[in-house]
Amino acid sequence: MSEIAIAGGRRAKYRPVTEDSPLARYALIATAVLFLALFLLAPLAIVFFEAFSKGLDAFLSVFHDPDALAAIRLTLLVAALAVPANLVFGLAASWSIAKFSFPGKSVLITLIDLPFSVSPVVAGLVYVLVFGGQGLFGAWLAEHGVRIIFAVPGIVLATIFVTFPFVARELIPLMQEQGKVEEEAALTLGASGFRTFLTVTLPNIKWGLLYGVLLCNARAMGEFGAVSVVSGHIRGLTNTIPLQVEILYNEYNNVAAFALAVLLAGLALVTLGLKTFLEWRHADELSGRARRH
Amino acid sequence: MTIGRRSEKPVGVGIFVGLLALALMASATSQAGQTFLNVSYDPTRELYKAINPAFAADWKAKTDQTIEIQASHGGSGAQARAVIEGLDADVVTLALAADIDAIANKSGKIAVDWQKRRPNNSSPYTSTIVFLVRKGNPKVIKDWDDLAKPGVAVITPNPKTSGGARWNYLAAWGYGLKKFGGDEAKTKDFVKAIYKNAPVLDTGARGSTITFAQRGIGDVLLAWENEAFLALKEFGADKFEIVTPPQSILAEPPVAVVDANADAKGNRQLAEAYLDFLYSPAAQAIIARNFYRPVHPEYAAKDDIKKFAKIDFITVDKTFGGWAAAQKKHFADGGIFDEIQKQELTR
């Protein structure tokens, strides 16, 4: 086929209809690469450049600032709470959707996708309207001294909201594809439900699950809009890394702002690296079985 | 459907773990107890960064208690909104009285007579609105008239969200009133011409400063006097210069204890002491050093005071009949600012 394509330089009519001309191919590749370089790599390079523009010492000094350290701790804490919550939810949702049918199933699938279509800022505002001082439960919460908005729980809730679909969306197609035959076999052989899950289902979905968790984690650490609305911006207490980056930038502290941005980008790059490694290592499991988005 | 029945177990486990996570989060809340929070507006970041350690040292000397002061900064209106919605501020130090009034009226967390509780309308410092222009003043901007000229790009934030922007707007309006002998229609056209020259309206004062100074957009920035001085300090006096118009507005950023929060947290004494401290010689000197005009200039260093040019001030109370009236007439939905903007869109 490739010989024909090469020979196709002479007479195009031998070229299979499923293959584009080399010119079109190179043009497409060049467009994609150029676009990525211009709008992704260049800004990323500038972030690194700005962070190190006053030398390594200035870069490192950021990580002695207690507010920055608090922001890093909070970001890790939020991810540590939001990711497991969505892991559990994603597993439960995809299990119920893939393995048995019930009324309202399609509604559930649509609901899972909701956070993708709702703006994060709106998500944050919704939590303010529900849990805020003037909100639905505001008076009750204040009476019992429970703080949700402008405190860590609000930030965790907002993060869970925006990262809701990642694990479930990853698992549903995978589990649907696998069907329930293996589980049924395990159950007829006398295994308990939990054991079936551990020894049959989990090994089947583990890479997809990990992939979903990684995506979920990257988004949880990087979320700005929803978190900004519910944070209250108390220094050293309710600022996550993305919020701290904005604050430092607004205080004319470019080096510090970009140094934290580098940290955030670094965390994202590690996630991306892990993801790429998983895709390469388990390509057949991840892509061979209908992953639909 | 055996599988359906059996698999309820993992789902049950899932729900259990979910609840556990929620419980964990709830316990994290109760830790955020004994703290002291000052909710302030955008440009005071540097000021309170300097004041807080000074007050903490003073408090330690007097009571032998070590305290940790937390700060939150943002657009004045947005910050007031957050306090109404439950942000746990012990004191608020905002850009204008209307925002503290809003907290008092909408949430009842501050007594309505708050402004009478401290000297000078509860404002320990004042400021005004000046022009920041590029070095050499290439567009020759001297007074408010020059802002309305075609071809001059004016940077100012959005009065709907920014306290500073409302001061800018009222200062321009006050100048117009004087110029046209109190003719409101002509004044409106004059102010409209200025906003016609504004290519962007940022949400906060600091956003506008960054737009002008860092992104290089516009010929003149309408700024708090303290923001203008700070920009000179941050970006170098070789890039910008301050133009003080002969007439401007006296801005009185007020402070108040958020009664309900301070009492609930047992911080009443601390909150009162914190605001009183702002009027003390030590704090007044820090205030002048951070380019705000202290209400007691005698406590400040001579060099710091010298920087402030003499300006013919108008006040919100005399020219506009107080903040409540100004707010309603100019900035409420359907107010004069909305009319100006609407015509702007259909022009």
Side-chain angles (χ1 to χ4, degrees):
Chain A
M1 190 175 77
S2 55
E3 291 94 306
I4 300 172
I6 292 162
R10 205 178 60 234
R11 281 198 66 86
K13 76 173 179 186
Y14 293 122
R15 183 166 50 80
V17 284
T18 52
E19 200 158 297
D20 292 319
S21 75
L23 191 68
R25 250 186 301 157
Y26 291 134
L28 278 173
I29 294 170
T31 312
V33 168
L34 200 72
F35 188 85
L36 284 178
L38 212 60
F39 293 102
L40 266 173
L41 283 179
L44 199 62
I46 288 170
V47 168
F48 277 82
F49 176 78
E50 284 279 345
F52 291 102
S53 63
K54 298 220 171 111
L56 190 64
D57 284 347
F59 174 82
L60 288 176
S61 71
V62 177
F63 302 102
H64 296 298
D65 175 22
D67 284 356
L69 290 178
I72 294 168
R73 265 198 306 273
L74 179 61
T75 301
L76 294 177
L77 173 74
V78 168
L81 288 172
V83 173
N86 277 333
L87 173 74
V88 170
F89 164 78
L91 268 175
S94 48
W95 180 286
S96 51
I97 285 168
K99 305 283 178 183
F100 39 83
S101 56
F102 52 90
K105 187 161 142 177
S106 55
V107 176
L108 184 62
I109 296 176
T110 315
L111 277 179
I112 290 171
D113 274 343
L114 197 66
F116 274 154
S117 50
V118 172
S119 157
V121 174
V122 175
L125 280 176
V126 165
Y127 280 111
V128 171
L129 287 180
V130 174
F131 297 114
Q134 312 282 301
L136 212 53
F137 304 122
W140 188 88
L141 289 171
E143 227 167 78
H144 293 78
V146 181
R147 293 247 141 60
I148 292 188
I149 299 300
F150 309 123
V152 176
I155 296 174
V156 175
L157 281 177
T159 308
I160 288 178
F161 183 93
V162 293
T163 55
F164 222 45
F166 285 98
V167 174
R169 265 283 139 208
E170 210 56 50
L171 288 185
I172 291 168
L174 194 64
M175 281 180 148
Q176 274 175 336
E177 181 73 14
Q178 285 167 353
K180 52 187 178 184
V181 182
E182 288 177 37
E183 278 88 355
E184 276 172 344
L187 289 172
T188 29
L189 291 173
S192 69
F194 191 58
R195 179 139 185 243
T196 308
F197 172 74
L198 276 187
T199 54
V200 178
T201 312
L202 200 56
N204 275 338
I205 59 163
K206 62 184 174 198
W207 294 115
L209 185 63
L210 198 56
Y211 186 84
V213 165
L214 286 176
L215 284 178
C216 179
N217 184 52
R219 180 66 192 269
M221 290 195 292
E223 176 56 25
F224 178 86
V227 169
S228 176
V229 176
V230 298
S231 140
H233 306 279
I234 306 170
R235 275 139 201 264
L237 202 67
T238 63
N239 282 321
T240 58
I241 298 179
L243 300 185
Q244 188 71 16
V245 168
E246 195 209 18
I247 285 176
L248 289 168
Y249 179 74
N250 276 345
E251 284 171 8
Y252 310 119
N253 198 343
N254 274 2
V255 170
F258 285 107
L260 271 187
V262 161
L263 179 72
L264 205 55
L267 290 171
L269 285 178
V270 168
T271 308
L272 199 69
L274 271 174
K275 193 199 86 157
T276 313
F277 174 76
L278 286 183
E279 275 177 344
W280 166 73
R281 181 82 177 68
H282 303 277
D284 49 338
E285 271 172 279
L286 281 165
S287 58
R289 314 201 182 193
R291 289 203 313 109
R292 289 194 192 93
H293 78 110
Chain B
M1 222 42 240
T2 45
I3 186 145
R5 291 180 60 85
R6 293 289 190 96
S7 60
E8 270 162 24
K9 246 185 191 168
V11 178
V13 170
I15 291 168
F16 172 73
V17 176
L19 285 175
L20 203 75
L22 275 170
L24 245 169
M25 292 190 311
S27 72
T29 29
S30 51
Q31 290 167 8
Q34 293 308 310
T35 48
F36 182 78
L37 175 61
N38 174 8
V39 169
S40 194
Y41 63 111
D42 230 357
T44 56
R45 302 155 190 258
E46 291 76 13
L47 172 66
Y48 283 106
K49 215 174 244 178
I51 291 222
N52 289 347
F55 172 72
D58 186 68
W59 185 256
K60 171 108 179 138
K62 280 181 185 147
T63 65
D64 206 34
Q65 281 176 342
T66 307
I67 50 160
E68 197 194 328
I69 303 165
Q70 288 161 342
S72 167
H73 297 272
S76 187
Q79 293 290 79
R81 179 89 241 172
V83 173
I84 291 169
E85 291 293 353
L87 181 56
D88 222 356
D90 292 282
V91 297
V92 284
T93 53
L94 295 179
L96 40 92
D99 286 330
I100 300 185
D101 279 338
I103 301 173
N105 295 332
K106 294 209 170 97
S107 73
K109 286 180 182 165
I110 299 177
V112 280
D113 68 338
W114 63 271
Q115 203 162 14
K116 297 200 187 83
R117 290 189 188 164
R118 290 203 151 65
N120 194 43
N121 288 327
S122 283
S123 300
Y125 40 82
T126 65
S127 192
T128 186
I129 302 300
V130 299
F131 307 155
L132 191 68
V133 297
R134 306 208 179 271
K135 190 73 189 173
N137 199 356
K139 296 267 166 116
V140 206
I141 292 153
K142 296 268 184 236
D143 206 345
W144 295 95
D145 279 326
D146 301 317
L147 305 181
K149 285 181 183 156
V152 175
V154 180
I155 304 297
T156 172
N158 188 344
K160 287 281 184 180
T161 53
S162 157
R166 274 175 255 175
W167 289 109
N168 292 348
Y169 171 100
L170 293 180
W173 189 274
Y175 174 84
L177 279 183
K178 196 179 148 204
K179 183 179 173 181
F180 301 112
D183 187 331
E184 293 231 328
K186 279 185 185 160
T187 304
K188 189 172 160 186
D189 285 341
F190 170 72
V191 173
K192 198 174 113 190
I194 293 180
Y195 278 89
K196 213 170 169 179
N197 280 342
V200 279
L201 295 175
D202 287 289
T203 51
R206 189 54 65 87
S208 281
T209 311
I210 300 242
T211 298
F212 179 78
Q214 209 140 311
R215 304 206 186 109
I217 298 172
D219 302 309
V220 53
L221 171 73
L222 300 190
W224 290 102
E225 187 174 46
N226 51 286
E227 274 292 279
F229 275 112
L230 189 67
L232 282 194
K233 191 174 134 193
E234 288 294 332
F235 295 101
D238 55 331
K239 292 208 179 82
F240 307 105
E241 51 188 81
I242 293 173
V243 172
T244 319
Q247 179 193 306
S248 192
I249 195 161
L250 180 69
E252 296 178 307
V255 301
V257 174
V258 185
D259 302 289
N261 292 349
D263 287 342
K265 288 157 83 180
N267 281 344
R268 162 67 65 177
Q269 243 192 324
L270 184 62
E272 299 284 352
Y274 183 80
L275 294 189
D276 287 341
F277 179 75
L278 297 175
Y279 292 85
S280 72
Q284 290 283 309
I286 295 174
I287 283 165
R289 206 180 310 136
N290 282 278
F291 315 116
Y292 291 81
R293 296 182 180 222
V295 292
H296 295 298
E298 65 272 22
Y299 294 144
K302 289 259 168 349
D303 282 348
D304 290 333
I305 296 296
K306 260 198 306 196
K307 285 184 295 220
F308 301 123
K310 225 174 140 35
I311 295 179
D312 193 6
F313 284 127
I314 60 165
T315 66
V316 175
D317 283 346
K318 283 201 194 114
T319 310
F320 299 93
W323 262 109
Q327 178 76 22
K328 193 166 166 227
K329 182 171 172 185
H330 293 276
F331 308 118
D333 283 335
I336 294 179
F337 180 73
D338 276 353
E339 285 171 26
I340 286 174
Q341 285 289 91
K342 218 176 282 161
Q343 289 164 357
E344 174 88 341
L345 286 174
T346 52
R347 106 184 106 118

